[in-house]
Amino acid sequence: MSSSSNTPFCYSFLIDYYPNGQIKERGCQGHYNATGVFVGNWYEYDISGMLVRTKYYHPDEFGKDYKIIMTYDRNGKILTKKIFNYDDLYENEEVELHEIPK
């Protein structure tokens, strides 16, 4: 399926596993502006299955694109929450932002 729309959408849910069978990472491969990119929420786990990081990818036009990365402690409490430009989308340098672009 292809689209000329600039609205991001998910077309393939991906799961990667550790050799022990625990989920390592899961998220959605999506489509934005005729390119395959990460969209929405991605979850990363340690080898014992504990959530260690989430990434929210928001593809948009240059300057309105961003991702939010959060890290967690062993009890599931948020340790850090940072907003960055979506550097992979436009192949530019990752820069931490102070707020979500509008």
Side-chain angles (χ1 to χ4, degrees):
M1 178 174 172
S2 121
S3 170
S4 60
S5 169
N6 284 348
T7 303
F9 64 92
C10 175
Y11 64 77
S12 179
F13 187 72
L14 303 173
I15 301 176
D16 188 22
Y17 295 91
Y18 286 106
N20 69 358
Q22 291 287 345
I23 295 176
K24 182 177 185 178
E25 180 178 41
R26 65 183 173 90
C28 188
Q29 180 69 29
H31 189 270
Y32 176 75
N33 201 14
T35 4
V37 294
F38 296 145
V39 297
N41 292 309
W42 280 77
Y43 304 89
E44 296 178 25
Y45 303 88
D46 68 14
I47 198 160
S48 69
M50 297 291 299
L51 181 66
V52 293
R53 182 179 298 112
T54 59
K55 296 178 183 178
Y56 171 74
Y57 292 95
H58 182 86
D60 204 329
E61 64 184 70
F62 186 74
K64 293 183 179 180
D65 56 304
Y66 65 92
K67 61 186 175 184
I68 299 172
I69 300 175
M70 296 175 22
T71 59
Y72 301 86
D73 70 11
R74 302 239 0 114
N75 297 315
K77 182 179 175 189
I78 296 172
L79 293 173
T80 63
K81 179 179 180 180
K82 296 183 179 187
I83 304 167
F84 299 91
N85 62 315
Y86 193 161
D87 58 315
D88 296 339
L89 180 60
Y90 293 104
E91 298 180 359
N92 55 357
E93 188 173 328
E94 182 179 77
V95 177
E96 186 173 355
L97 306 173
H98 298 290
E99 61 185 25
I100 293 174
K102 296 181 178 30

